[in-house]
Amino acid sequence: MVSERIFGFALLLLSVAGILIGWDLRAPVEYEPVGPRAFPLLLLTLLGVTAVVMIVSRPAPTKWAPPPVLRHVAALFVVMLVYAWLFDKLGFIVATALMTVPVARYFGGTWRQCVLGGIGLGVGQFFLFDKILDVALPTGLWLKPFLG
């Protein structure tokens, strides 16, 4: 029970820090109706609400996962950090494809499934968000001449 509260306070601090950082997030040219800060602020607000629920609730005693599972969770966290770092540098399609491969491997996919799934997920989500939903995503320097 104490670990959930500690985790809840950590999540609450993370969400408050993220909201403070994201509040001034503005695109140089805003041509989308929502703007770039709405999605992060919405997610961070939901994270904060969830953290408060974790802090005030009285759950059943927690049994921690075995060490191999915790190592996988830590590795997935590192993959997400690398994904966030590569997002602007490589563009959405390449960064998403690279992120999907190790995540899919952790969930037991074969190399072929992971690579094809990563490419399909990156390309499919890019066209869904960028072309259909009109949400601008970074293309990366090498794909910019082809995708605009």
Side-chain angles (χ1 to χ4, degrees):
M1 187 160 98
V2 174
S3 61
E4 282 90 3
R5 288 194 174 149
I6 292 171
F7 189 63
F9 277 114
L11 287 180
L12 185 60
L13 288 175
L14 180 70
S15 68
V16 169
I19 288 171
L20 291 176
I21 292 170
W23 193 258
D24 291 330
L25 186 63
R26 302 222 189 271
V29 178
E30 290 192 30
Y31 51 87
E32 297 166 350
V34 179
R37 71 178 189 168
F39 188 67
L41 290 180
L42 176 67
L43 284 181
L44 290 166
T45 302
L46 290 174
L47 179 68
V49 169
T50 304
V52 170
V53 170
M54 286 179 72
I55 293 169
V56 298
S57 68
R58 297 199 175 267
T62 302
K63 182 179 178 184
W64 284 92
V69 173
L70 293 177
R71 281 193 292 272
H72 279 229
V73 171
L76 288 173
F77 181 73
V78 171
V79 167
M80 287 298 150
L81 287 178
V82 171
Y83 175 66
W85 184 66
L86 291 176
F87 191 77
D88 280 340
K89 294 170 180 48
L90 297 178
F92 178 82
I93 295 174
V94 176
T96 301
L98 291 175
M99 179 271 303
T100 303
V101 172
V103 171
R105 288 289 296 167
Y106 285 126
F107 285 99
T110 63
W111 279 105
R112 183 170 186 237
Q113 291 171 330
C114 297
V115 170
L116 291 176
I119 292 170
L121 190 68
V123 172
Q125 284 188 346
F126 180 81
F127 282 105
L128 173 69
F129 280 97
D130 197 72
K131 304 301 180 194
I132 296 173
L133 297 176
D134 205 24
V135 175
L137 294 173
T139 57
L141 294 177
W142 54 47
L143 292 176
K144 192 170 184 107
F146 302 109
L147 298 174

